[in-house]
Amino acid sequence: MKIAYKKYTFLLAGLVLLNSSCKKFVDINEDPNNSTSPQLNLLIPSSQISMVGNMYQLNSGASTLVQHTIFSTPLSRFQQTGTSFNDSWNGFYTQTLNDIETVITAGTTSQQWGYVAIAKLEKAYLYSIMVDMWGDIPYTEAEQGAGNTGPGLEKGDAIYAKLFTLIDEAVVDANKVTGTSLMVAGGTDVFYGGSKASWIAFANTLKLKMYNQVRLVDPAASTAAIRTLVASPATLIGGTGTANTTDFSFKFGSNASPNNRHPWHRSEYQGSKTFYMSTSLVSGLIANDDPRVRYFVFRQVANVGANNSTGGNGYYGREPGDPTSVPADLARRSTFGVYPAGGLYDNAPISSGLPATNVFLTNTGATGTLKVVTVNDGGGAGLMPLITNSMVKFIRAEAALTLGTETPAAARQLYMDGITASFTNIASVTGVAFPAASVTGFVAKMVAQYDATDDAGKLNLIMSQKYIANYGNGMESYNDYRRTGLPVLRGLASPLNVFPLRLYYSDTELTTNSSLLGNASALQVAQQITPVFWDK
Amino acid sequence: MQKCKETRKVLSIQLFRISVLLIVSLITFTGISLGRSLPAESVLNKRLSINLKEVTLEKALINIQNKTGVKFVYSSTLIPLNSKVSVDASEEKLSNILNKLLAQLNIIYSVNAGQYIVLKKNQLAFADSLNVADLLMSNQQRTVSGKVVSKEDGSPFPGVSVVVKGTKNGTVTSADGAYKISVPGDQSILVFTYVSYQTQEVPVGSKSVVNVQLSESANALSEVVVTAAGIKREKALLGYSVTTVSSDKLAQKSEPDPLRALTGKVAGVNIQSSGGVAGGGTNINIRGNSSLGNNNQPLFVVDGVPFDNSSFGNVGSNGVGGAGVTNRAFDLDPNNIQSMTVLKGAAAAALYGSRAANGAVIITTKSGKRGSMKGTEITYSSSYAFENVSGLPEYQTKYGQGTNNDYRQGVYGSWGMPFVGVPSVLPTRTTIPHQLARSFSSAIFPEFYQADGVTPIQVPYKSYAKENVSNFFQTGNVFENAVSISSGTDKGNFTSGISRTENTGVVPENGITRTSINIGGNIKLDNKWYASGSMNYVKTTQKTPPISSNAGAAGSIMNALMYTPTSFDLTNYPFESPIDGSNVYDYTGQDNPYWLVKHSPSTSDVDRYYGNFILGFDPLPWLNIQNTAGFNAYSDSRLNVRGKGSSFYPNGSMTLDNIYRQELDNTLLATITKTINKDLNLRWILGNNINQRLTKRTVFYGDGIIVPDLNTITNTSSIVPLQVLNNRNEIKQRFYAFFTDITLDYKNFLSLNLVGRNDVSSTLPANNRSYFYGGANGSFIFSEALKIDKKIISFGKIRAGYTRVGNEATPYLTNTVYLSNTQLGAPSGVGAIGTPFTYTPIGSTNSITTNTSTQIDILANSNLKPEFITELELGGEVRFFDNRIGIDFTYYNKKSTSQIFTVTAAPSTGYTQQILNLGRATNQGIEIGFTATPIRGQGNGFNWDISSNFTRNRNKINDLGNYSQFTYGGPDGISSVHMVGQPYGQIFGTAYARSPAGDILIDPNTGKPLTSGTLKAIGNPNPDFIWAMTNTFSYKNFTLGIQIDWKKGGDLLSNTVGNMYSRGVTRDTENREFQIVSPGVYGNVNTLLPILDANGNTIPNSTALSYEDHFFNGGMGPGGVAEGSVLDATVFRLREITLGYAIPKDLLKKTPFGSAFISLSARNLWYKAPNFPKYMNFDPEVSSLGVGNSQGYDILAVPTTKRFGINLRFSF
């Protein structure tokens, strides 16, 4: 037995030895595939791309509500669900804002103020849009990870107030970068190539847009702030001209793999399709002799008409709120054109339906042909117009008209510049020029209508032209419509609910956020009928 | 007579003791030797020291067995076990010792079958001990001979004890199963007994040859099972429930998937296949899901080495989805499985540690089996089976394509006009323009147009519903061939086998083949060392067209197949363009299923290698040291093709996915076996286990196929790497562990087993990575202890165990990382932007490429702790009336605590998922095994066995920390939810808005139901219980087995049913020419509260809907709100019928075959799901999400199949 005990001792000794040498053996839980430290120059472009990528669902849905396009039948009938906008909500919070907060935290520590300034401005912009869309959202308690697993909702007006402060902070941070025109390295900023001046213009313009957005609830504050901002128009997006070089627009690429194309192009330039063109918008453009319709819409078949019939002019889309089931018309329905989706320019003759009085939208020079679109048609390097020069001009015109922030003459000029800037933007993005005469001629025609009407009519014209110029950004038109009720939209063929005053929250949020779970269902359905704080 | 009675009593006690001794010797033998064979000569040459004075022979034999590992076989009635003997020897040969010992008692011995030492009474002395009656009878003695073979495979059966009933006269069969015995007269009865086989009593009558087939006894008293870490224990003494399924119950059942073959055969095990796809994934769980977030699949161990059963999902957007992906247990050939032991509880699995927390399936392969017989045996088996879809819907043949009772081309619904001749008030028509003329011009199909090339020709308006779908599915088949060779000598033995299985599915171009080669052997070295090893190579190739319709997946054959418009001639219309081969279909954006089959194959090529090397050493009689080194690795090369010319993606694309998975495992065991005193035996095992698992994966996406149907990634116009989930191409984890297992057996009716283990896992933070767990279990065989009359209670035991098992995490959950150039934006679809991002700024002509890095959206947990599962198991086993009726009952209560969850986080926290370490869930259940032999055949007589099992598991989420629910799984539409106080993993989806009284709220404007404002738990996929029964009848050479089963409850969200309802294709929606009013009350669309009348009462719905609207999107039926598609998946099934025939030996005399066995089998012959719509004929045994914790979804799954097979087996 003695021998046996000795053996045990050896065995135990062996095991103990083995144990101590095993620490290294199991020290392998650091992910060998991914970086463990944040890199600001890579996080900033990531936040910009993910912001726009995550907007696809939100923007398409909002565009449907304002009849820019028809993304989903239930939404076009004003019926929302908890999955209508969940991708956007989830993506904003978990990708975009997450990276933005990382940049702010890490950049502040390492005093990289250029990155910090960009991050803060993106944060202010995105949260302002989110408030506009959803009303009350998590803000102060958000983005804290394990620190707060059930962030509560915060009132929209409170968030707006904090955002104004945040924009000012960002400008201070930006001004800490001195001695260079670039705040960050050019290749790391998809929007402005690092230009400090552009970002400061963006900061000012964002404030302008937000103060205009809240003008109904606090006209005095809005008036004062807007007056200050428009006093130096050169420091706004677009400056004093009609060019689009400082637009806060996101330019997509044309690579299919990895896919950098405009989501609308990707969705529609293939066999299956999601969207219908809105007959409300398209017929309005044609009736108004607006040449932009050839940029916005591409027809696949020349003679298809309503309900997939033959004998139409090819602008076969859907009436907002049409409840009927979808026929097999994927190779026949009209689809997105060259702007903003980066598809094809429709330069084919329009066989019927063109008013004889048309001057700008005619078949003159219409030598193109139509085709069933395929995946590489047009290249897909489209545009997401977030805040454009044209929008700035219309905002200033609206404020001038309603708050008196600028003179009536200035308002008239801004209205004209807004239309011109829209044409300029479309032509420069697509590379397909308008005949010069058609731009000036169209503007002249529109300004004649402006001059001929009263203030209410003028506002209607401003908002209607802004609505057309906004095409591609339904979110801003959705804001404008709720604020002004303009332009007057078509009544729905078969609505399932009233016009949504706010969007539905993400189902994911409602079913996981412990501070919301209790009355999630009531909270959700109330969104449809509860106005956002600025909506009076 | 008084004396006689007493004798008999003594005899019966002796018999009992003998059998116990036999068992003990077997266990000891197998336990101490760990299964190696002991060649005859070396047995007798073995030297040992022994010093015994005046002990019983029984004790002496036990002593020798313990010291040498030999096994004694003897006739219970012949050997005077209570005689006192003495022996004193020092390092003497066993033969000498036996001579000394047995000579005292006039016993001679011989070595039989290379393994057993057979003790016999010396014939000369024999007569002296006979009593007068025996003496008288002995006058008429004559010799009877015969052969004993195994009923399962007809192979010779050596070592079977043959005794003339009521006498002390006995013998043992030789290596070829033959025996010869003297019987006193025609009234004699021969009793054939062998451990773990059913005892047979055969009246001799006037026969001189008595051949016997012995069949395995399902609940044999002395069954030996392989438990954790390869430790063999006698089942009777186990303190927990295990089930072993032998090869004959798995092989040759026309089921190439070893897991599916297991269905219904083991209580407590739930197996869910994913429909009728050859090589589809099979989900298995034991005693319910216990881990809330982690893997719930049991651990597979093949020949002592963990066997990876992963199911890797496809990457990218054109995958075939979960159901098409095989889980890798498929690489095991059922024909090469010797036995499968299911260790159900935590107690059974504690020694495997973390990974066996969900139970373990211990598989012994034929090549890995140790200790085969002397001589050479060649077995050839072959089987062929054909399969058909088991149930297609009964389609309506009265109405054609269209909506609103009107013909509408291109519409994928069949709510159109009635056909000519159908009694109806609606108008009809005789012809329609050729459907394909709508999308395809005369340039492509001139034959569809009149001479003008513009006007489509007219085709008859008639129903093709009966043939469209049934023509698409083909008759599949399974063809299996296997040869195995085993050969043994005194020093060791060798086995080798090759097998090939080909399964062609019911979906055209779907098939899987598996070719496996195995070799194994063991050798006994002279100097106390022994070694064994096995090596397996398996090649599995699978091909399948896209079959899954998961969100985001490309066109799938199942997308529209089941609801093809009834008036569309899918069979005869062309499916590809005669010009460029592109897709032709009347459903743009969706590919014709025939086209997909031809042009969009997904293939998987798996090369798998696994094997082990065992080296053992017996330094001391009571000490064994053994090391098992094992490896298990495979590479899976997948190519998913989306054909060029697809409507969904015309350019076509390919994804090449190379997966490499490797597992290395080493187990070192020291086993101490000691007899402490006469009644108390100890076995103490100390062990160490080291394990590493590695996965490497590289995925490439090739966009734009250049030459159609040339399926290689280089045939694409641009190739980019694709990121796998979280960019984790390489995943590695390790652990090491020390464990101990102590077993104390008292008098063979009381047993106590203690286990303890300490794991150190790489997946946990340094301060939490080491964790200890263990448990205790015991058993008490009261029938033995209380010496209950065996005729009434043949066997009775109670058992109890309490065990705690720790579970590690998955790797890399403890740190936050940043993903480079990953996909940004929406999780899938067109809002997902690929990076690096290349763009040309406005006003510039130079493009810029920007790289990105984004923080991972998983909230890491740097304080992760192991999760624990504790299980209390109580059970008992009683068998009555000579083992004719047996009941095995188990109750368990499994608590899972401090769970490691990956759950959906509130997005506003900044993360989509968070890793948590909390919660408590319980699984409580009962398992009842029932066996009976209503008719026990004598010899070749008629025999009827019933084996039945019942499983009922109730799981409940008790606590989720501060949370009330957690969602997990896929996006909305395929997600699951854990809710406090409710069962595990409920189906999560859109629900009806309901009034406080529970009535469905109806929108007064539309007559359709309102949807609740938020997602809800809408179904519980966990079945209420599972019951299965197998009846086995045998008569002479025939065996008939019938297995039926019944799965009660468990909800299924069936998209197939929902779609067929809303598309109006089955007879369920045939009666349609009326309007219906959905039950419910009017509700307010914005408040989701009932609208009340002036008196404050709810207003019943009175808005009528057409039948079509009722079922169509947003409608009342399963086509609308997800809740409406949730159905109770209760199903009755005739699972398996097999009819076997062992060809009589005399017919084989002129053939080279030693034995031959032929069987017919049929699987899944009939089922009935009573709660599914009648004409859908739907088989709910499908799971579209494949393997995982999200269950309860059918997303247009391929229907299940039924198979008929013929199986042949020859041995030479």
Side-chain angles (χ1 to χ4, degrees), chain A residues 31 98-99 260 266 328 330 509, chain B residues 438 588 728 832 834 854 908 910:
Chain A
D31 186 348
N98 188 330
D99 286 344
N260 295 333
R266 289 177 65 184
L330 296 167
E509 187 72 44
Chain B
R438 203 176 53 86
T588 329
R728 284 177 174 148
T854 184
S908 59

Side-chain angles (χ1 to χ4, degrees), chain B residues 155-230:
Chain B
S155 62
F157 215 135
V160 177
S161 160
V162 187
V163 177
V164 181
K165 191 171 184 180
T167 75
K168 300 176 177 180
N169 183 14
T171 184
V172 172
T173 57
S174 60
D176 61 354
Y179 74 97
K180 205 175 260 185
I181 192 168
S182 291
V183 296
D186 292 356
Q187 271 68 50
S188 302
I189 293 171
L190 291 181
V191 183
F192 296 84
T193 48
Y194 189 78
V195 168
S196 87
Y197 280 72
Q198 282 179 3
T199 298
Q200 282 208 24
E201 297 190 6
V202 184
V204 174
S206 58
K207 287 175 280 191
S208 61
V209 175
V210 175
N211 291 331
V212 171
Q213 292 183 323
L214 281 191
S215 54
E216 238 173 298
S217 152
N219 294 288
L221 171 64
S222 43
E223 193 177 345
V224 172
V225 294
V226 181
T227 65

Side-chain angles (χ1 to χ4, degrees), chain B residues 108 146 213 216 311 390 465 596 683 709 721 748 765 937 983 997 1005 1080 1204:
Chain B
I108 56 170
Q213 292 183 323
E216 238 173 298
S311 178
S390 55
L596 283 171
R683 194 190 51 205
D709 301 323
N748 301 307
N1005 297 319
F1204 301 89

